[in-house]
Amino acid sequence: MAPSPVVKVLAIETSCDETAAAVIGDDGHSLLSNVVETQIAAHQPYGGVVPEIAGRRHAQAIRPTVERALADAQLTLDDIGGIAVTRGPGLIGSLLVGVNFAKALAWARGLPVIGLHHIEGHMLAPLLDHTDDDVFPAVALIVSGGHTSLFHAERFGNYRRLGRTLDDAAGEAFDKVARLLGLGYPGGPAVQRAAEGGNPAAFRFPRPVPERNRLDFSFSGLKTAVSNMTRELGPEGVEARRADLAASFQAAVVDVLFAKTLAALDETGAKRVILSGGVAANGPLRNRFRAEGQARGFEVLIPPHRFCTDNAAMIGVAGARRLAAGLRDGNELDAESSWPLPERYQEVLSA
Ligand code: KG4
Ligand code: ZN
């Protein structure tokens, strides 16, 4: 496909509970605006994301969010040359809002539109402030509320999955343990805060290694171990030991995530790690990766917090490249709630 002139790209992300829009400049990676309208308060009373509420909230928030992204960039739709949108995976009712808004806008304005993979977005977040040569090749650990996977990212568009979770995602484990400890939603930041001052060695929670593939993850046994311990301690015991429980759980997750990443570096020979996704906002996890990278001589790329949790900027960098390469989606573009990340996702760019 023939390359197209590089244009400013409007990016839209609505896969879960954040309505997000961003504008990427016509160099393909500079960020002109980044707006995230979070729904946390709407889901808080339920202790987790309620898909029906999420979809309705996206429908209400999508237009003002896009308008704010354009206003923050001091642009109008006349300045936009293409639209990038998260196609999946995620909550179907949430994805449909973003995808259909993007398609309608593209149709009305005669603009090209392209659907992107949410996990690729997380993986490419470092491209917001690095060149390709500074990012690839790398082992990418993507840890979020819906995903925990390791990839060998050889170059843009070329990602081999090395391992994935067989049950819960790491963020899901944080959210469930937060509930067990009587902490709020979202669980990750609440567990991290509760763990401050706790003893990470107070409880020895399991660090499971799945038998079939040592690079796969499993967090359900860890969650069950915490659940059993909270039952054993009773409400007063949990209250008294909350910091130790949170710190010990967090330490187990960090240990497992780091050990698998180290094994992936060993297997691929890569010298660089990308750590991204919502759980990569976790302080002790970031610190562990940075410290080990320094001690063992591998480079660690971790986006700033706001680009680890869901955002449209990461979708914009992935989309701008494809649009510039002449790739587009037609009217058949549809939301995909389950969609494995394709291994060779960018034939045109890597040809
Ligand atoms: O990437 P993300 O915003 O949405 C998904 O794609 O799932 O990730 C959200 C997940 C939630 O499970 C949340 O609890 C977790 O990221 N998270 C954290 C922290 N901040 C967010 N987990 C641990 N520590 C944190 N500081
Ligand atoms: Zn995400």
Side-chain angles (χ1 to χ4, degrees), residues 118 122 144-146 171-172 174-175 186-189 192 277-279 281-282 308-310:
H118 182 76
H122 278 304
S144 73
E172 203 178 345
F174 267 99
D175 294 335
Q192 183 183 329
V279 180
N282 183 268
C308 282
T309 48
D310 287 349

Side-chain angles (χ1 to χ4, degrees), residues 7-11 22-33 75 80 128 312-318 320:
V7 293
K8 293 187 179 69
V9 170
L10 170 67
V23 180
I24 299 290
D26 44 23
D27 58 1
H29 62 85
S30 65
L31 187 59
L32 304 187
S33 67
L75 299 172
I80 298 299
L128 285 161
M314 65 187 196
I315 299 302
V317 282

Side-chain angles (χ1 to χ4, degrees), residues 47-48 170-195 222-223 226-227 230 238 242 245-246 249-250 253:
E172 203 178 345
F174 267 99
D175 294 335
K176 287 178 176 168
V177 164
R179 229 169 293 159
L180 288 170
L181 300 185
L183 299 164
Y185 164 83
V191 169
Q192 183 183 329
R193 269 194 308 275
L222 172 58
K223 177 195 65 195
V226 178
S227 170
T230 57
V238 169
R242 191 175 279 127
L245 285 163
F249 159 76
Q250 186 172 253
V253 175

Side-chain angles (χ1 to χ4, degrees), residues 78-116:
D78 291 339
D79 302 304
I80 298 299
I83 301 179
V85 63
T86 303
R87 176 177 152 199
L91 300 173
I92 192 66
S94 293
L95 290 164
L96 278 168
V97 174
V99 167
N100 285 310
F101 191 87
K103 281 172 72 173
L105 205 54
W107 181 62
R109 308 289 304 194
L111 293 172
V113 62
I114 187 131
L116 283 309

Side-chain angles (χ1 to χ4, degrees), residues 278-311:
V279 180
N282 183 268
L285 180 66
R286 298 165 82 90
N287 294 342
R288 175 78 179 275
F289 271 64
R290 289 216 176 95
E292 297 273 6
Q294 236 167 21
R296 296 169 190 261
F298 60 83
E299 198 186 334
V300 179
L301 292 174
I302 314 177
H305 281 215
R306 66 185 194 288
F307 299 133
C308 282
T309 48
D310 287 349
N311 66 87

